[in-house]
Amino acid sequence: MNKLVLIYASLTGNTEEMSELITSGIEEAGGSATVKMADECSADILLDYDGIILGTYTWGDGELPDEFLDFYDDLENLDLTGKKAAVFGSGDTVYEQFAKAVDLLQEKLAERGAEIVSEPLKLELNPSGDEREACRAFGKSFASGTVGV
């Protein structure tokens, strides 16, 4: 079974809740994932995994949050060729660039050679109703594609 990691940053708990639902979906598909917060690990950890899921909120008008800045900078030195990846996050449509930090992470992963296997999952604030199932489905789909379940 392939090794999966989910790394996220959350300020208000919205992205944390998304990560829990995505992890639940991974488990429903028969997989498991190591879950870490972005400010508690280095990007080098990605080299130990076959599948990478990153989750973030967007700070201000489209910036990565402080918790992801060092991690993002460290990605510059990594070759992620052969890794499968996906990105998710929460945002607020009051800002001009909705959940732009999600796009920044996805672009960096692709630039470093990772294969982006799904469209990014972006939600307005916290997941509710059908969005909760969308998070679980995101995790199931990722696990199925990387684990072979």
Side-chain angles (χ1 to χ4, degrees), residues 3-8 33-54 68 71 74-75 78 80 83:
K3 292 175 60 179
L4 309 178
V5 66
L6 186 152
I7 298 171
Y8 74 96
T34 299
V35 179
K36 301 243 181 217
M37 294 184 70
D39 60 354
E40 295 177 353
C41 61
S42 164
D44 291 347
I45 192 174
L46 302 181
L47 298 175
D48 296 333
Y49 294 88
D50 305 303
I52 301 162
I53 302 175
L54 301 182
F68 248 113
F71 190 96
D74 290 345
L75 284 171
L78 299 181
L80 300 177
K83 311 282 185 188

Side-chain angles (χ1 to χ4, degrees), residues 40-92:
E40 295 177 353
C41 61
S42 164
D44 291 347
I45 192 174
L46 302 181
L47 298 175
D48 296 333
Y49 294 88
D50 305 303
I52 301 162
I53 302 175
L54 301 182
T56 188
Y57 64 96
T58 297
W59 183 251
D61 194 25
E63 294 99 39
L64 283 168
D66 287 345
E67 298 93 329
F68 248 113
L69 293 178
D70 289 340
F71 190 96
Y72 183 85
D73 289 343
D74 290 345
L75 284 171
E76 192 60 41
N77 301 316
L78 299 181
D79 179 1
L80 300 177
T81 302
K83 311 282 185 188
K84 296 192 183 303
V87 184
F88 70 94
S90 60
D92 190 337

